[in-house]
Amino acid sequence: MKNDGRTIEKNKKELSLKSMYFNRYLMVRYASALFFFTNLYWFVSLVMSQSALFVLPLILLVVLIISIAEQVKVYSDHTNDAKYTRYCYKTLLVTNVILLLPVYFSSSFTQLYPFLINESRSKLMIFFILMTGILLSTQILRRLNKIKHNEDKHYKRIKQYEEVIN
């Protein structure tokens, strides 16, 4: 009977550690969900507007799905180096920077956002959304870099917890 109690306690500690390692990526998962649904909305809007540029958000969705799959895998197989997720956020960052150009300097605004009226308020809204994407991508890339080098706050807490349970 004592052996069963020890096994249960050991399993709880292992599960707790597994969850702590997984939670290092919590902000990344929330940001991925935000980018996924934003790009999904943009994709559907472009398809409904019969724009040939629907391919752009479609590619971003595929990249995000690969990243999300990696995030799911992290739960069962912990890694510090989420390379597909890093690639995803670099892609999102570059895409958002490139998409800033048509907002004010090109006539492609109506092709990229045919569901919006080509006026300054619409352009300001898109500018704000793209800048938010740039800042969020940059923040996530910083977070991923800290995780990769075990410099994040969660890692320190995990190590403290491991010392306590061992």
Side-chain angles (χ1 to χ4, degrees), residues 84-140:
Y84 296 114
T85 302
R86 231 181 23 260
Y87 170 75
C88 170
Y89 279 93
K90 285 177 183 178
T91 303
L92 289 167
L93 177 63
V94 168
T95 303
N96 282 331
V97 168
I98 291 170
L99 287 173
L100 276 176
L101 299 175
V103 171
Y104 289 104
F105 304 113
S106 172
S107 62
S108 61
F109 181 85
T110 54
Q111 293 172 334
L112 285 167
Y113 314 104
F115 46 90
L116 294 175
I117 299 170
N118 191 1
E119 64 178 34
S120 60
R121 279 196 276 178
S122 297
K123 290 180 178 185
L124 185 62
M125 180 183 75
I126 294 299
F127 178 80
F128 175 75
I129 290 170
L130 292 172
M131 285 304 296
T132 302
I134 289 168
L135 294 173
L136 188 56
S137 295
T138 303
Q139 184 64 29
I140 295 299

Side-chain angles (χ1 to χ4, degrees), residues 1-9:
M1 196 66 148
K2 286 184 181 181
N3 227 0
D4 289 340
R6 288 182 193 159
T7 304
I8 291 171
E9 191 63 30

Side-chain angles (χ1 to χ4, degrees), residues 37-61 95 99 108-116 126:
F37 287 109
T38 302
N39 282 293
L40 181 63
Y41 174 75
W42 186 28
F43 170 73
V44 169
S45 298
L46 288 174
V47 168
M48 290 175 65
S49 301
Q50 298 176 346
S51 172
L53 295 176
F54 75 90
V55 173
L56 182 58
L58 181 62
I59 291 168
L60 294 175
L61 284 169
T95 303
L99 287 173
S108 61
F109 181 85
T110 54
Q111 293 172 334
L112 285 167
Y113 314 104
F115 46 90
L116 294 175
I126 294 299

